[in-house]
Amino acid sequence: MAMNSRFSCLPQAFHITRSSKPFLRSLTSNSHFSLASFSVKLQGQSEVRRVVKMSAVETTNSRISYESFAIKPPSHPTYDLKGIIKLALAEDAGDRGDITCMATIPFDMVVEAYFLAKEDGIIAGIALAEMIFYEVDPSLKVEWSKKDGDDIHKGVQFGKVHGRAHNIVVAERVVLNFMQRMSGIATLTKAMADAAYPAYMLETRKTAPCLRLLDKWAVLIGGGRNHRMGLFDMVMIKDNHISAAGGVSNSLKAVDLYLEQRNLKVEVEVETRTLEEVKEVLHYASQTNTSLTRIMLDNMVLPLPNGDVDISMLKEAVQLVNGKFETEASGNVTLDTVHKIGQSGVTYISSGSLTHSVKALDISLKIDTELALKVGRRTGRA
């Protein structure tokens, strides 16, 4: 008898090919698995053991359905979320697979493992975790007492996964890496979005390479809104564009011409750094039918020696715009300053710190939760 499983960890007594190549191939193919079980008796042992046989079945549709998600991810025309999951799993598996699991965990052992919060925060990545578990082993059963965007508290169990111990442990670190980062982003976003009201909180493109959709999804889960996804979905005229084009008016004129010639309908934002540039934008817009939709008011929040901020320049800029366009405050935005900035009348406040300086939320996945809680209390993490 021979079988190539996604995670080949069966004993040699079964003459199973102990190779990671089928596993790696499965990480780059559009496949699901059918399950069949049978009982065998190991030579020299009286115990009858149950074997789960997994066989790959090619599927023609690898698209992910987001309909059941509590909060759907933002859209992107080329981002392959399933591919990112496969890449993360393959990165962990290397060319051998999980040699520790193969050495220590019986292939047919079935367990339950529990998600445990080690600090307070906003949970994010639950929908993604289900996708990862399904990619590793579609037979794993995952249950949650929370959904994406809910509060979690230190020491609380908020989910469990049931199935083959080997596959749960293989998925564990990839699941937690994504969930902890996303939950950290969601937690900070929630705090800043609440403080920024009535302004809306935005992130930027300062995201981890290849994780942009996930970082921006976490912002949505935390109650923020998304800025442009990339270079393709919004025109954003920044300082370098303005310098290269020969000024604010020239850059706006060039954008209007470009969009008109190509019949493109996208939002247009221009960065301003002084009140004079704000006035120049408004003058240009009064003289032409422009595609401009938003004016960024960059670094018009001035830090003070006592840790406070002076928003008088920002407020003056908002008054100049007078509702003709959306406004966005950027620069010197922190959890301590965002409330005051939000009272200036701006439409949006953007901060790269939501994603580029995130502190991961501490979460664990444990089979022995009693011991995990005991250790957590000893170290102040549960």
Side-chain angles (χ1 to χ4, degrees):
M1 174 176 65
M3 175 181 70
N4 291 336
S5 73
R6 176 169 281 201
F7 304 101
S8 300
C9 62
L10 304 186
Q12 290 295 327
F14 292 130
H15 307 293
I16 303 304
T17 303
R18 194 184 283 262
S19 168
S20 64
K21 290 181 180 178
F23 163 60
L24 294 177
R25 282 200 300 269
S26 72
L27 287 177
T28 56
S29 66
N30 297 327
S31 58
H32 291 298
F33 290 82
S34 61
L35 303 178
S37 64
F38 52 92
S39 297
V40 296
K41 191 173 182 180
L42 289 168
Q43 190 174 16
Q45 294 187 17
S46 59
E47 180 185 9
V48 175
R49 304 186 73 177
R50 181 172 176 269
V51 176
V52 178
K53 180 176 180 179
M54 304 173 67
S55 59
V57 179
E58 292 297 316
T59 59
T60 57
N61 182 10
S62 64
R63 292 181 64 84
I64 299 166
S65 173
Y66 301 134
E67 292 307 312
S68 63
F69 292 1
I71 299 173
K72 297 178 180 61
S75 61
H76 190 292
T78 62
Y79 196 91
D80 182 5
L81 182 52
K82 189 170 182 180
I84 292 295
I85 292 170
K86 290 179 177 180
L87 185 63
L89 291 167
E91 175 185 56
D92 225 12
D95 61 350
R96 288 197 176 100
D98 189 340
I99 57 177
T100 311
C101 274
M102 288 189 272
T104 61
I105 300 178
F107 68 91
D108 59 347
M109 177 180 285
V110 174
V111 299
E112 284 187 345
Y114 295 85
F115 283 93
L116 180 67
K118 293 186 174 181
E119 56 185 322
D120 297 348
I122 303 297
I123 190 63
I126 283 177
L128 181 65
E130 290 191 13
M131 294 165 61
I132 297 168
F133 282 125
Y134 186 82
E135 182 63 33
V136 170
D137 180 355
S139 71
L140 295 176
K141 307 296 183 187
V142 190
E143 299 177 18
W144 307 96
S145 59
K146 297 287 185 179
K147 64 182 184 301
D148 280 326
D150 282 351
D151 291 314
I152 56 171
H153 299 285
K154 183 177 177 180
V156 171
Q157 294 177 16
F158 61 91
K160 69 177 181 179
V161 55
H162 173 90
R164 290 182 63 204
H166 176 94
N167 292 347
I168 291 172
V169 175
V170 163
E172 173 195 358
R173 178 43 51 196
V174 173
V175 166
L176 290 177
N177 283 351
F178 281 127
M179 287 188 73
Q180 288 178 308
R181 178 177 176 85
M182 290 182 69
S183 297
I185 292 171
T187 299
L188 180 57
T189 300
K190 173 66 173 173
M192 293 189 78
D194 286 351
Y197 184 83
Y200 298 110
M201 200 70 215
L202 304 172
E203 85 296 78
T204 69
R205 284 167 51 239
K206 297 174 183 176
T207 54
C210 299
L211 298 184
R212 180 167 298 171
L213 186 139
L214 300 179
D215 283 0
K216 286 177 173 284
W217 190 4
V219 168
L220 292 180
I221 291 170
R225 295 197 179 188
N226 288 150
H227 213 308
R228 60 174 178 162
M229 178 60 70
L231 302 173
F232 59 91
D233 57 333
M234 180 184 191
V235 172
M236 189 166 177
I237 309 168
K238 300 200 71 177
D239 52 0
N240 285 334
H241 303 110
I242 292 168
S243 297
V248 171
S249 297
N250 284 344
S251 61
L252 282 167
K253 187 182 300 183
V255 165
D256 284 334
L257 180 61
Y258 180 90
L259 297 179
E260 182 181 2
Q261 289 175 340
R262 289 158 181 78
N263 196 28
L264 288 177
K265 303 292 184 184
V266 295
E267 292 187 342
V268 176
E269 180 172 10
V270 63
E271 178 183 303
T272 59
R273 297 155 290 182
T274 65
L275 295 177
E276 287 70 28
E277 285 187 334
V278 174
K279 292 173 183 176
E280 184 179 350
V281 169
L282 294 173
H283 177 74
Y284 172 84
S286 70
Q287 302 297 312
T288 185
N289 184 21
T290 180
S291 299
L292 181 67
T293 55
R294 188 185 306 173
I295 301 175
M296 176 185 285
L297 309 171
D298 191 43
N299 286 313
M300 296 188 187
V301 175
L302 309 180
L304 299 174
N306 64 359
D308 198 2
V309 287
D310 178 359
I311 64 167
S312 57
M313 183 180 179
L314 177 65
K315 290 177 71 173
E316 186 175 350
V318 170
Q319 290 166 2
L320 284 171
V321 177
N322 194 29
K324 296 181 182 71
F325 301 98
E326 294 176 341
T327 52
E328 175 186 335
S330 178
N332 293 309
V333 178
T334 68
L335 190 54
D336 294 327
T337 65
V338 70
H339 176 71
K340 191 169 185 178
I341 297 169
Q343 306 310 303
S344 67
V346 292
T347 317
Y348 300 103
I349 304 171
S350 60
S351 174
S353 66
L354 291 179
T355 54
H356 73 54
S357 302
V358 61
K359 176 185 176 294
L361 195 71
D362 199 357
I363 301 167
S364 64
L365 178 63
K366 298 296 183 183
I367 295 172
D368 188 344
T369 54
E370 185 176 341
L371 179 58
L373 283 168
K374 182 178 179 181
V375 173
R377 293 187 186 104
R378 187 179 70 214
T379 58
R381 296 171 65 201

